[in-house]
Amino acid sequence: MVLLTILKKLKQKEKEMRLLMLGLDNAGKTTILKKFNGEDVHTISPTLGFNIKTLEHQNYQLNIWDVGGQKSLRSYWRNYFESTDGLVWVVDSIDRRRMEDCTKELHSLLQEERLAGATLLVFANKQDLPGSMTADEIKEALNLDSIETHHWRIVGCSAMNGDNLLAGIDWLVEDIGARIFTLE
Amino acid sequence: MATFKTISYLGGFLALGYGALKFTELNEDKLKKELLEFSEPVTEAEKKRKLMMEVLKNAAANKKTMENYPTSQQPLIRVNKESDNCITMSQQQLAAFLSELNLLELKVNDLLSGENVNTNVASEVLQNLTRFVSENAPSLPAYELRRAHGEIMKFKTKILEIEEKTRRQGKFKFTRTNKERPQVPSQPIECLEGKISSSTARPSVFLDGLLPTLTNLTNETITINSKESSNKDIWLNNLEKSTVIINGIPSALHMTNLRDCKIIGGPVLTSVFLEDCLHSTFVVGCQQMRIHKSKECDFYLHIGSRIIVEDCFACRFAPYNREYSEKAEEFNRASLELSTNHWDCVDDFNWLSVEQSPNWSILPIDERIQLFPRFTGFNLITSIYPEYIV
């Protein structure tokens, strides 16, 4: 019995998840990451390349990769697909103009074999701004209901004031946890 | 007595000499330390940037050899090992490079002429071409490099022209669709358990969302007052020969399809996003700026981070030089420090090279418009620059 608890504890320490955060440029990926990590969100530059943060959350160690969304950087996204447990797709809820572009990019990602096992969380960001599309509207626009290959959920959030970020990540971690760490 | 004197003198000299020696040694150490510090990248950000540039370059190189240039299994240019600092191309390598370049140029040309013009594929190929040239740039003869740049420019202009033509044919158009939009009641955001405080009372006037604030205008001068702008996303679309003056602090600014326009504003809270603009002038402050597919535009910027440029041509940059009475207060409210301005830090994503990108330049001082402090806002522009109002 004692041995079992020790083993369990050891196992818990290894609980590591790799989350990949993608989306068009100006969606607020870096802002979400920084807010989640409790850093200042007012002096963020457009991401040239990527940021990585490792955080402890719900007894899991989360490695969050935030990759730049600039058009010319999107071809490099595939370099980060390997062993991704969760995909966080960030949408700028106010940018109706590029919603089509956003849908196209997301669906082409979901075709990707190396992301086949990943859970998808869509963050409808910038909900604090007047005139932003609601999470439901974005669900329609991105045609999320057509996704059958991945577990997915959409969460309206605001990276600037932190609303709902935790709720989204909690769901993602639980879903991945239930999928991967149910061996015991 | 005399011998004692000489001995004491000698001793004194020796001590002095030793002291001097020690002193110089100490200085040398300090100097070395300083030099060492100096050669390191100054900030974390810079270090990261350098690293990233390298990663991107390597990735681009891999991609190139794997996909686009199946004929050349090995990199075209090899570093000459005998002379470490000197990277040169042999005649053969140069010939190989030129033939590859020629092929790519022909491909772009084919895509742009004839009946089925495909600008998307063409710009993709052109991007590869640019990458190919910039990677090989350090080892190319100056003449070939200039010629290659010239060709790239020509193609870019051509692509932009074709794109513009197709747009003019009315393929791409935005109109106000206020009435068509369903009047969704201010619905709480779908959430799991969290509560959102700001979404509860959303005034219905905002429900039209980010539809163009101004669209389809020609020869107009418009002032957006601070009530209309503050804390909102402003979108200017399809304007021609118009001047827009933005007072107050919008939360973000989007600008698309502007021709011969002047956009003059104060600080923007977050980011400015610009696409398909031609021959226009922008005076604005912001934290982030992304410029896409624009040509021959002048920017007077106050910016907190680096400027991102993608698929642009002949863009020029100058520091923000508009003066008005609430300037300091407004910039402060937008959390922009007046002392830090990165107006000349431009990252051109089509030019992954340490050399100056051919797509942008610094606006020569004598060509900059001067905005005088004794006028404010609208007056300033009309009175000093009558030509400013088209």
Side-chain angles (χ1 to χ4, degrees), chain A residues 24-31 34 41-52 68-76 78-80 92-98 101 104 121 124 126-137 139 152-158 160-161 163-164 166-172 174, chain B residues 48-49 52-53 55-57 59-60 63 66-67 120 127 131 172 174 181-182 184-185 187-199 202 206-211 231-233 235 237 251-252 254-256 270-273 275 287-293 304-311 335 347 349-350 352:
Chain A
L24 301 192
D25 45 326
N26 203 24
K29 296 175 290 296
T30 310
T31 314
K34 294 227 163 170
V41 292
H42 291 284
T43 52
I44 292 168
S45 301
T47 308
L48 186 70
F50 60 88
N51 302 305
I52 319 167
Q70 212 66 37
K71 202 171 175 194
S72 13
L73 289 179
R74 289 179 208 158
S75 50
Y76 302 113
R78 58 201 164 98
N79 299 349
Y80 301 87
D92 178 353
S93 307
I94 204 153
D95 193 356
R96 286 158 210 264
R97 198 170 57 82
R98 292 197 296 163
D101 209 4
K104 219 172 67 192
L121 169 69
K126 308 198 186 179
Q127 291 293 329
D128 56 316
L129 290 177
S132 56
M133 290 167 81
T134 63
D136 269 339
E137 284 177 283
K139 188 173 81 179
W152 63 269
R153 172 164 283 193
I154 181 162
V155 175
C157 75
S158 158
M160 273 324 238
N161 52 35
D163 286 335
N164 261 353
L166 214 56
I169 296 288
D170 276 345
W171 173 79
L172 185 64
E174 269 162 33
Chain B
K48 200 176 144 199
R49 211 178 101 72
M52 194 49 227
M53 276 297 186
V55 171
L56 279 181
K57 264 193 205 166
K63 197 178 167 203
M66 276 159 56
E67 293 173 10
N120 277 344
Q127 212 168 346
R131 208 179 282 151
F172 184 71
F174 283 106
R181 254 186 67 78
V184 188
Q187 191 179 355
I189 298 139
E190 179 185 319
C191 51
L192 300 161
E193 54 203 14
K195 301 152 223 132
I196 288 197
S197 49
S198 59
S199 70
R202 193 179 284 180
F206 292 140
L207 278 172
D208 58 353
L210 190 64
L211 295 168
N231 210 23
K232 280 172 213 161
D233 274 37
W235 180 10
N237 177 50
S251 75
H254 303 240
M255 291 175 279
T256 50
T270 56
S271 61
V272 174
F273 190 95
E275 201 166 81
Q287 174 60 32
Q288 302 187 350
M289 178 127 198
R290 295 175 174 88
I291 306 167
H292 295 174
K293 293 190 251 169
S305 63
R306 301 180 68 88
I307 301 157
I308 302 286
V309 165
E310 218 175 345
D311 303 321
S335 345
D347 286 327
F349 278 62
N350 305 103
L352 302 176

Side-chain angles (χ1 to χ4, degrees), chain A residues 57-74:
Chain A
H57 187 62
Q58 287 189 6
N59 285 331
Y60 290 104
Q61 189 184 330
L62 307 183
N63 295 323
I64 309 185
W65 293 67
D66 153 37
V67 186
Q70 212 66 37
K71 202 171 175 194
S72 13
L73 289 179
R74 289 179 208 158

Side-chain angles (χ1 to χ4, degrees), chain B residues 154-170:
Chain B
K154 253 194 263 166
F155 286 135
K156 265 194 187 152
T157 335
K158 205 164 174 191
I159 288 175
L160 280 169
E161 269 166 16
I162 291 171
E163 280 180 350
E164 200 188 321
K165 230 187 253 167
T166 46
R167 234 196 325 275
R168 293 243 160 165
Q169 283 161 5

Side-chain angles (χ1 to χ4, degrees), chain A residues 110 116 118 146-151:
Chain A
L110 296 177
S146 71
I147 300 172
E148 287 166 352
T149 46
H150 297 68
H151 287 192

Side-chain angles (χ1 to χ4, degrees), chain B residues 57-74:
Chain B
K57 264 193 205 166
N58 288 341
N62 285 340
K63 197 178 167 203
K64 182 194 75 185
T65 42
M66 276 159 56
E67 293 173 10
N68 301 323
Y69 312 106
T71 43
S72 52
Q73 289 299 323
Q74 281 162 348

Side-chain angles (χ1 to χ4, degrees), chain A residues 1 22 27 30 37 39 43 50 65 67 81 84 87 97 119 123 131 138-139 141 150 155 165:
Chain A
M1 199 57 205
L22 298 174
T30 310
N37 210 27
E39 292 172 49
T43 52
F50 60 88
W65 293 67
V67 186
F81 290 164
T84 293
L87 178 64
R97 198 170 57 82
T119 304
F123 265 137
I138 287 171
K139 188 173 81 179
H150 297 68
V155 175
L165 289 186

